[in-house]
Amino acid sequence: MPMDPSDPSSFNLQHIKLANGRKYRYCDQTPTDYVHGKTPVLLLMHGFPEFWYDWRYQIGPWVRRGWRVIAPDMLGYGGTDKPDDVSLYTPLSIAAEMVGLLDALDLKQPVVLVGHDWGALAAWPFAMRYTERVKALVPISLPYQHPFTTSLTVPQLVESRGPEKFGYWSFFDSAEAPTIINANDAEFGSHKHNQISKLIDICFRSRDTLCEPPFISQGSIQKYLTGEWKIDSPATLLSEKVRHIERQYYIDTFKAGGIDKPLNYYRSTPYRYEQEQGKFSFAMNHLDLIIPATVPILFMVPTGERIVNAEVIENTRPFVPSMEVVRPEGAHYIMLEKGDEVAQIIGDWLEKKFEVATSG
């Protein structure tokens, strides 16, 4: 059955247990001429609040180019295990989880990492720590972050980076966040749901329908969730024709899996210094060794990304000398807003870098 982005059942979902005992659900699509160990492999790492389905517009086009595409529900999401230990959700820990997934799938060849949001934050240290496992790196939306040189709590991070851009972290770090999100009701037309629906409608918006004031600033997301500030339409990135189907799939997935464990990605901040100072101590004095220039990097930054601007991009270049930058028109969830364009840009770039022949 051909892959249909509007029909989750048309994708091949599998489950697997890693050597550490944790179980993962993942989408695994292979081309008709797949040869294990030779066919290029793309590992897609999603962010918040997402799961494997956020890659629905890219999986098919990339498989049709002759590549195997693996898109897991990341730790804490969807059909993947949801451990309580917050330290397991740091970028470095998630990178190790992804290596464990590749090992469980007996994939020893270098793979192309494509990560969005928290998936991008984990893809960067993956490329640093496990360089031999990386063929190319494609982070979307979030830039390289230097290993923490001091221990930071979430409030300290918000204050240092600016509450106008990182204020929403304070809410996601709070004990009441899961209760507020889960208890909220949202109603648009004939569709009424509780649990995750309003968070979905806040996040998944196109560049021209973003919430104003921005929900990322201090205190704003609480006002949207509690109804003090109104949202005038459902998630605009869920296509008009099948919006109710896609939106319901998100709601059902998070209703079943919960929102508490995905919030651990934000809560894990205090554990990053302890983990990173040992693994990456060499990086403090050898900037050229952070990610070798032999690793091709395409950093995709939507023009409507509210946290990453030109200055932030330029500040990362000394640490990632091989980085190329592309800026498609759109907002944070660019894989949904410009699904075909994202697939085309990344697919063409990979073919150019590795002269990978298409299969049709």
Side-chain angles (χ1 to χ4, degrees):
M1 180 170 64
M3 288 167 278
D4 177 359
S6 68
D7 181 7
S9 68
S10 68
F11 291 83
N12 178 38
L13 299 185
Q14 300 291 327
H15 294 80
I16 196 168
K17 180 183 285 189
L18 276 54
N20 60 22
R22 286 187 278 277
K23 297 178 182 178
Y24 274 73
R25 181 177 74 169
Y26 63 102
C27 176
D28 190 357
Q29 303 289 160
T30 56
T32 55
D33 57 352
Y34 175 74
V35 178
H36 190 78
K38 293 185 178 180
T39 299
V41 176
L42 278 63
L43 176 62
L44 315 184
M45 303 161 62
H46 69 75
F48 178 93
E50 307 172 48
F51 56 112
W52 75 267
Y53 191 53
D54 279 64
W55 301 106
R56 59 191 176 275
Y57 296 113
Q58 290 79 47
I59 294 173
W62 290 340
V63 172
R64 288 190 287 273
R65 287 181 184 256
W67 309 333
R68 181 179 181 180
V69 179
I70 299 168
D73 288 340
M74 302 299 284
L75 194 69
Y77 285 89
T80 291
D81 279 355
K82 301 165 181 63
D84 294 329
D85 186 351
V86 177
S87 69
L88 295 175
Y89 295 83
T90 64
L92 188 57
S93 293
I94 294 300
E97 290 285 308
M98 291 297 96
V99 171
L101 175 61
L102 294 176
D103 287 346
L105 293 169
D106 192 32
L107 289 169
K108 306 302 183 184
Q109 70 194 85
V111 301
V112 175
L113 294 179
V114 185
H116 174 251
D117 189 75
W118 280 100
L121 289 185
W124 288 108
F126 187 121
M128 292 173 63
R129 179 66 174 159
Y130 308 101
T131 306
E132 74 283 357
R133 307 292 294 266
V134 181
K135 187 177 183 67
L137 174 63
V138 185
I140 302 174
S141 291
L142 296 187
Y144 166 81
Q145 291 186 3
H146 206 52
F148 278 22
T149 57
T150 185
S151 181
L152 288 175
T153 63
V154 170
Q156 289 171 332
L157 182 144
V158 171
E159 182 63 28
S160 65
R161 298 189 179 180
E164 72 283 355
K165 289 186 176 181
F166 287 85
Y168 68 104
W169 280 52
S170 298
F171 173 68
F172 288 154
D173 182 53
S174 68
E176 64 268 21
T179 301
I180 291 175
I181 296 171
N182 290 338
N184 190 61
D185 281 338
E187 184 172 1
F188 297 106
S190 62
H191 305 297
K192 182 176 182 179
H193 306 285
N194 55 17
Q195 296 277 342
I196 196 69
S197 59
K198 188 168 282 189
L199 183 63
I200 291 170
D201 292 324
I202 291 169
C203 292
F204 295 138
R205 311 192 73 78
S206 60
R207 184 183 181 187
D208 58 353
T209 62
L210 293 174
C211 294
E212 293 295 347
F215 78 84
I216 59 176
S217 59
Q218 191 82 47
S220 293
I221 193 166
Q222 296 96 310
K223 294 180 179 179
Y224 283 116
L225 288 170
T226 58
E228 182 177 346
W229 291 352
K230 300 299 181 181
I231 307 170
D232 60 5
S233 66
T236 57
L237 292 185
L238 304 186
S239 61
E240 188 69 35
K241 182 179 179 181
V242 294
R243 176 180 292 160
H244 65 287
I245 299 174
E246 294 182 332
R247 186 169 178 268
Q248 188 62 52
Y249 189 45
Y250 279 90
I251 292 168
D252 291 345
T253 297
F254 280 99
K255 184 176 181 179
I259 194 65
D260 184 56
K261 296 306 183 285
L263 293 175
N264 280 344
Y265 285 79
Y266 298 91
R267 300 168 180 153
S268 71
T269 299
Y271 296 92
R272 290 186 58 178
Y273 171 68
E274 181 180 352
Q275 292 185 7
E276 293 175 0
Q277 65 172 342
K279 303 295 185 190
F280 299 131
S281 59
F282 70 94
M284 300 303 115
N285 297 313
H286 299 86
L287 300 185
D288 59 321
L289 298 180
I290 291 181
I291 299 180
T294 53
V295 177
I297 302 173
L298 179 66
F299 183 27
M300 178 174 285
V301 189
T303 56
E305 182 62 62
R306 284 174 150 162
I307 293 177
V308 181
N309 56 28
E311 181 181 2
V312 171
I313 295 171
E314 290 307 310
N315 288 341
T316 66
R317 289 192 183 277
F319 306 107
V320 281
S322 61
M323 183 178 73
E324 300 175 44
V325 178
V326 61
R327 305 211 64 184
E329 293 287 333
H332 184 71
Y333 296 94
I334 190 71
M335 311 99 64
L336 303 181
E337 186 171 0
K338 298 290 180 67
D340 293 340
E341 182 178 343
V342 169
Q344 184 78 32
I345 290 172
I346 295 174
D348 289 350
W349 181 80
L350 289 172
E351 288 193 352
K352 180 180 178 181
K353 287 295 177 184
F354 303 114
E355 297 181 352
V356 180
T358 61
S359 61

